[in-house]
């Protein structure tokens, strides 16, 4: 019996495709019931997030710190023992010298820890004031502690403490802080910024080298950051100052706006300060340096304050 004649067609024509014969079934990973259970809504179990363990550099740095600390401790202990073997007087003198050195190192570490703790307290208060559902008593206690610290430098800020004690909600506490403390701190921060602008502009005007202007501006800027931080009750050490500088730079970059707006603000500052106007007229670069110091003071005040905006 001969096959029927084949008709021309395309390969994807379903009529031209011959039905496939069932071949031997290959082994499957899932049986029929498990394949039915794997519905579109099925999702694999989420893997746990990796733990926050130390990286390689962290482990190496920790190991180096332990070795250096052990080497210093055993070396000093051996030195003291050797001095006692020579003479009791030398032994006690070496013990006193080591004690004084360790005390100075401990004081420096305590200052750094205190500075970081002051920044952390401000961050916690800022988070509490931004959340209307924050615990009222804890927020009130933190706000009163901050106002009491600020009132030692800005006496008019202490007048708001009775109102904070009588406040019935977190937004009410934030409103009292913004009206009674934030305004006074803004005035004092602006005064620090204008004074730094005048002094910095005068120093830049007297500088004999443009390369020295950057060093002078950095030195004055660091002084401004520390003064504004102390105004807000912070005690920044080296580590806290670095963190505060990073936050200040971020705020300054966000609030700077366009260069035209910055130029307009600079002209307004120069025009409102007679001494600075004379300095800027004599040395054009002094006005720019002065405005940068002034804006740095305002950005630092925003970074140190627990009040949003």
């Amino acid at each position: 019996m001969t096959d029927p004649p084949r008709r021309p067609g395309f390969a994807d024509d379903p009529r031209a495709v011959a039905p496939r014969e069932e071949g031997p079934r290959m082994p499957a990973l899932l049986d029929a019931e498990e394949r039915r259970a794997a519905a579109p809504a099925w999702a694999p179990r989420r893997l746990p997030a990796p733990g926050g363990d130390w990286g390689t550099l962290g482990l190496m740095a920790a190991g180096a710190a332990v070795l250096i600390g052990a080497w210093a401790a055993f070396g000093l202990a051996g030195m003291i023992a050797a001095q006692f073997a020579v003479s009791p007087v030398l032994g006690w003198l070496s013990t006193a010298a080591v004690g004084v050195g360790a005390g100075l190192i401990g004081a420096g570490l305590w200052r750094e820890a205190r500075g970081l703790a002051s920044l952390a307290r401000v961050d916690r208060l800022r988070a509490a004031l931004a959340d209307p559902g924050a615990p009222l008593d804890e927020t009130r206690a933190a706000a009163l502690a901050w106002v009491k610290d600020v009132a030692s430098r800005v006496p008019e800020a202490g007048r708001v403490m009775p109102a904070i004690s009588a406040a019935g909600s977190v937004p009410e506490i934030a409103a009292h802080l913004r009206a009674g403390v934030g305004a006074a701190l803004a005035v004092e921060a602006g005064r620090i910024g204008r004074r730094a602008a005048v002094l910095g502009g005068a120093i830049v005007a007297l500088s004999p080298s443009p390369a020295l202007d950057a060093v002078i501006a950095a030195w004055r800027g660091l002084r401004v950051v520390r003064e504004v931080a102390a105004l807000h009750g912070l005690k920044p050490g080296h580590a806290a100052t670095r963190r505060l500088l990073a936050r200040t730079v971020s705020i300054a970059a966000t609030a700077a706006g366009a260069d035209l707006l910055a130029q307009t603000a600079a002209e307004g500052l120069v025009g409102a300060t007679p001494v600075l106007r004379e300095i800027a007229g004599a040395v054009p670069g002094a006005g720019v340096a002065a405005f940068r110091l002034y804006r740095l003071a305002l950005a630092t005040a925003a970074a140190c304050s627990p009040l949003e905006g």
Side-chain angles (χ1 to χ4, degrees):
M1 186 175 183
T2 59
D3 295 334
R6 302 178 60 184
R7 294 181 300 174
F10 295 98
D12 58 351
D13 188 355
R15 294 176 299 178
V17 179
R20 295 189 306 174
E21 297 182 358
E22 292 289 338
R25 298 183 61 183
M26 302 298 293
L29 296 177
L30 299 177
D31 56 17
E33 294 183 358
E34 290 177 340
R35 284 199 299 270
R36 286 194 298 269
W42 174 84
R45 182 180 299 175
R46 295 183 60 184
L47 296 177
D53 53 350
W54 290 8
T56 304
L57 293 179
L59 292 174
M60 294 174 62
V66 171
L67 291 177
I68 293 175
W71 172 73
F74 287 115
L76 291 175
M79 181 193 71
I80 292 175
Q83 297 300 322
F84 269 109
V86 175
S87 169
V89 176
L90 292 178
W92 286 114
L93 288 177
S94 60
T95 303
V98 171
V100 171
L104 292 176
I105 294 175
L109 294 177
W110 169 251
R111 180 175 297 180
E112 295 294 330
R114 184 181 59 177
L116 292 174
S118 63
L119 277 181
R121 284 195 299 268
V122 171
D123 292 339
R124 288 194 298 267
L125 180 57
R126 183 185 294 113
L129 293 176
D131 183 12
L136 180 60
D137 294 337
E138 296 179 6
T139 305
R140 180 186 289 112
L144 289 175
W146 180 67
V147 172
K148 184 177 180 181
D149 198 1
V150 171
S152 61
R153 300 164 183 83
V154 186
E156 56 267 25
R159 302 172 185 173
V160 77
M161 295 182 68
I164 295 176
S165 301
S169 63
V170 173
E172 188 176 352
I173 293 176
H176 288 306
L177 288 176
R178 189 172 290 106
V181 183
L185 289 176
V187 172
E188 292 297 326
R191 188 175 302 168
I192 292 174
R194 284 190 295 271
R195 183 173 67 249
V198 172
L199 293 177
I203 295 175
V204 169
L206 297 175
S207 174
S209 172
L212 190 59
D213 296 347
V215 179
I216 295 172
W219 169 66
R220 288 299 307 170
L222 187 60
R223 288 285 302 272
V224 167
V225 170
R226 289 184 176 275
E227 289 180 12
V228 176
L231 175 68
H232 287 76
L234 301 180
K235 306 171 181 64
H238 179 70
T241 301
R242 289 183 57 188
R243 184 174 299 181
L244 185 59
L245 279 174
R247 187 181 303 175
T248 301
V249 169
S250 176
I251 292 176
T254 303
D259 292 339
L260 180 60
L261 179 61
Q263 183 65 26
T264 303
E267 293 174 356
L269 173 66
V270 173
T273 310
V275 178
L276 194 56
R277 183 171 61 248
E278 298 296 332
I279 296 174
V283 182
V288 177
F291 171 68
R292 289 174 179 173
L293 290 173
Y294 177 75
R295 190 168 61 181
L296 178 64
L298 299 183
T300 306
C304 295
S305 176
L307 302 172
E308 294 289 344

